[in-house]
Amino acid sequence: MIQLTINARRYAVEAEPDTPLLFVLRDSLGLTGTKYGCGIGQCGACTVLLDGAATRSCQIPLESVGTQAITTIEAIEQDPVGAKVVAAWVGIEVPQCGYCQSGQVMAATSLLKQTPKPSEADIAGAMTNLCRCGTYNAIAAAVRQAAA
């Protein structure tokens, strides 16, 4: 059994140590807001926060999580910064198809927790998740609004 802290709750998970965190979140625990995109850590649809840092969960084996606190999209509004990001996302109507948006919100929350007043370069450097709908301008606008 592997012990995990997810969204401030403890879980005992029975899985192989090399199982990607994404699969445990979705398949074992039913936390399906974190999406499977590419499976190789490139698209960012699977982004969660590990101790506040944006992390691609498809590339993190359970054994690497250790005692780090995991935050998923299901609990992001419990965080004051996350709540501001979600409000900006909704206010600007960022999503089109919405598939990548949970990962985008997680990346934006991590950025704003680390850099409360990001520059345009900070935003461009942190918001590297892919969006097939091309909502990048709206994403950047929402990050700027949440930072205001």
Side-chain angles (χ1 to χ4, degrees):
M1 295 295 261
I2 297 174
Q3 300 292 320
L4 300 172
T5 302
I6 305 168
N7 302 331
R9 185 172 165 205
R10 294 286 293 165
Y11 291 88
V13 176
E14 191 168 332
E16 295 297 319
D18 63 346
T19 303
L21 175 59
L22 172 64
F23 299 136
V24 171
L25 294 173
R26 290 185 58 78
D27 301 337
S28 300
L29 302 175
L31 298 170
T32 58
T34 304
K35 303 300 183 198
Y36 176 87
C38 65
I40 59 172
Q42 297 296 308
C43 75
C46 67
T47 302
V48 298
L49 302 183
L50 285 184
D51 280 347
T55 305
R56 308 277 167 98
S57 64
C58 72
Q59 294 297 296
I60 299 297
L62 283 182
E63 64 192 349
S64 296
V65 174
T67 60
Q68 296 178 89
I70 303 161
T71 305
T72 69
I73 192 69
E74 286 85 358
I76 201 61
E77 287 183 276
Q78 320 265 303
D79 181 289
V81 174
K84 286 179 69 174
V85 170
V86 170
W89 242 251
V90 171
I92 292 177
E93 298 179 358
V94 173
Q96 285 186 24
C97 84
Y99 196 81
C100 72
Q101 296 304 311
S102 62
Q104 301 280 5
V105 165
M106 301 306 284
T109 301
S110 178
L111 166 63
L112 294 178
K113 287 175 85 55
Q114 295 171 23
T115 309
K117 299 294 180 191
S119 66
E120 290 301 314
D122 293 332
I123 294 170
M127 300 306 297
T128 59
N129 293 13
L130 299 179
C131 175
R132 292 184 70 166
C133 300
T135 63
Y136 300 110
N137 291 335
I139 289 167
V143 172
R144 285 190 295 273
Q145 180 175 313

